[in-house]
Structure formats: structure tokens, C-alpha cells
Amino acid sequence: VSIYNLKKQITTSRYFFDNETFGYEYLTAFNFNKNSGTETNAYDFAFYSMQILSMFITVFVIFFATSGLSGEQSTGTLKMIATRPYTRNKIFSGKFLACFNVALILLTVSLVSSLAIGFASYGFSFQKVLVVMNAETLFITNPVILLLIYLASILVDIIFYIALAIFVSMVTKQATVATGLSSAIYLTSIVLLGSIKGSWIRFVPSLNLQLYKFFTISQSGMFSFSVVPNTSLFTCGIFTIAFIVVFDLFARFLFTHRSLDK
């Protein structure tokens, strides 16, 4: 039994009772392979598409992040850039921001395209979405707003894996190894870790990602959103930010204090 989902049901039922309304008047928060309403709509299609496309985008950005520093160092390109009047910190920050911009552009194009295809195939729904955040805070919003919340959640995940990939590439000095290891961690967190149980898993960095899970139903399995016991949107957000900062600082330190020779 999911205590998180039970709390969410209680919050939802209390809202229906206090406001004399019913569940069929609202869409539910988007989840994989599950309609938000009685029929599939453009938002369901866009959400489903984004879950698939974001996986490929994340792997691509991981490759882009590792090749941007370790790859250019192995080819000697990075040493040529360093001869210009730029500090190492500026070069590092520029590479990081480039990865983020690539991810943002790809995700935005994917979301707009998915909405357009979904509208042509299923049409839009004019119902509002009933969202229960952290299983306790309920609010009604537009489906597009919830999709943007999901997009922000994906961006946080990608920033984490950018920081991880760059950190691993600085430690190993091998772009190929860093790409393979970072991608393996990402794919493993999608395929396997959502089904692992135990109180210790809340200390696994990759399981504190997918902050969107605190806006929908907690489920187990591939592409699902499994809420780790004794966690919240706040604790997972802080934990994720902390790891991003740690990875970034260590990678930045190695980059600024290391020779750029091949």
C-alpha cells in the first residue's frame, strides 16, 4: 500500500466533499500510459511523447557534455581555446551553459511538436487539471501549466546529469568512459531503480530526481514516478541541488588546476 497515494486520495476526497464537486469534472495529473480524462487528448499525447523523447535528449546531452571538455582536450582544441583571454572558469561555465541551452532547445521543440501532433490527432481538452502536490496541497491549473512543470522537472534532471557527466569526464579524462558511465546510471534509474524498495534508497542521488512525481500518482516500473518513502518535493529538490553543486565544484576545480595537454 502506498501511503503517499492514500494521503493524496484523502486530500482529493476532502476537496470534492467541501466543494460539492466530482472527479469527472477535472483531468487528473498526467502519468505514463494513462489518460488524464475519459478520452485521450493532446496533453496526454504530448506527455507520453515527452517521456520517450526526453530519454534520448538526456543521453544526447550527456554525450555533448563529455565531448565538450574531455573530447576537446584529447584533440587539443581546448588548449587552443585556453590561449585566448578567457579564464578557465569562464570556459567551464560556457561549456555547461551550452549543454543546458541545447537541452532547452530540444525539449521546447519536442514539446511544441508533440502538442501540435496531439492536437491534430486527438484535439485539446477544455477541462482543468486537479493536481495534488506532495499529497497534501491541492490546486487547479491549466494542462499547459502542468506540462511546463513537467518540462522544468526534466530540465532539473538534465542539469544533474550534465554536472555528473562533466565530473566523471574530469576524473577519468576519457569522454567515452564518462559518456558510458553517466548514460548507464541514467538508464538504470529509469529501468530498474523505480521498483527497488527500502529506506536506504532515498540517499541514492538519481532517485531524488523526477520532481514531477510529487504532482502525480506514485507508481513503480519503467517510466513511472515512484515516490521514495520519507521524502518530499522540498527534500528531493534540496538533495538534487546539493549534488549538482558538489559535482560542479569538483569538476570545476579539476578543470582549473589541470594541464590541458593531450
Side-chain angles (χ1 to χ4, degrees):
V1 176
S2 172
I3 301 299
Y4 181 88
N5 286 338
L6 287 177
K7 289 181 179 179
K8 180 177 180 178
Q9 291 175 8
I10 292 172
T11 302
T12 304
S13 298
R14 183 182 295 116
Y15 175 83
F16 291 153
F17 181 80
D18 292 341
N19 293 274
E20 298 182 354
T21 186
F22 302 93
Y24 62 80
E25 299 179 17
Y26 307 95
L27 298 177
T28 59
F30 309 122
N31 215 317
F32 186 75
N33 201 25
K34 186 179 185 300
N35 289 337
S36 58
T38 56
E39 297 179 348
T40 304
N41 56 56
Y43 307 112
D44 293 324
F45 178 83
F47 181 81
Y48 179 87
S49 300
M50 288 301 295
Q51 284 208 279
I52 304 298
L53 293 173
S54 63
M55 180 176 66
F56 294 101
I57 292 172
T58 303
V59 173
F60 173 77
V61 173
I62 287 174
F63 170 78
F64 188 75
T66 55
S67 61
L69 288 173
S70 292
E72 291 187 6
Q73 182 175 350
S74 62
T75 60
T77 306
L78 200 58
K79 188 175 182 179
M80 295 176 61
I81 296 175
T83 59
R84 298 185 178 184
Y86 304 122
T87 63
R88 295 274 187 100
N89 275 320
K90 280 189 175 182
I91 296 174
F92 186 94
S93 299
K95 296 294 183 181
F96 198 105
L97 288 175
C99 296
F100 175 80
N101 289 336
V102 168
L104 181 60
I105 292 171
L106 291 176
L107 288 173
T108 302
V109 172
S110 298
L111 180 60
V112 173
S113 302
S114 298
L115 276 174
I117 297 173
F119 172 71
S121 303
Y122 304 103
F124 288 122
S125 173
F126 296 97
Q127 291 178 291
K128 298 290 186 179
V129 185
L130 188 148
V131 182
V132 183
M133 183 179 70
N134 271 339
E136 296 178 350
T137 305
L138 188 147
F139 62 94
I140 311 297
T141 188
N142 187 283
V144 175
I145 300 299
L146 187 58
L147 282 177
L148 292 178
I149 291 175
Y150 177 59
L151 182 67
S153 174
I154 297 175
L155 279 173
V156 172
D157 293 357
I158 290 179
I159 291 173
F160 172 86
Y161 284 107
I162 290 173
L164 174 64
I166 293 177
F167 169 72
V168 175
S169 69
M170 288 293 97
V171 172
T172 63
K173 302 181 184 180
Q174 296 291 330
T176 304
V177 174
T179 301
L181 182 58
S182 301
S183 299
I185 293 174
Y186 170 66
L187 296 175
T188 301
S189 67
I190 294 176
V191 177
L192 297 178
L193 295 182
S195 301
I196 297 177
K197 304 298 181 181
S199 59
W200 59 270
I201 61 177
R202 67 179 181 270
F203 301 109
V204 180
S206 59
L207 290 184
N208 287 273
L209 301 176
Q210 294 186 334
L211 299 180
Y212 175 79
K213 61 192 174 187
F214 293 103
F215 295 86
T216 188
I217 299 174
S218 176
Q219 295 178 323
S220 297
M222 185 175 180
F223 293 118
S224 64
F225 299 97
S226 180
V227 175
V228 179
N230 301 318
T231 60
S232 66
L233 177 62
F234 177 77
T235 57
C236 286
I238 294 298
F239 200 67
T240 299
I241 292 173
F243 268 96
I244 291 174
V245 171
V246 169
F247 287 145
D248 180 81
L249 290 178
F250 272 101
R252 193 180 295 267
F253 176 82
L254 292 174
F255 180 72
T256 55
H257 292 79
R258 176 180 293 170
S259 172
L260 297 182
D261 292 330
K262 298 182 183 179

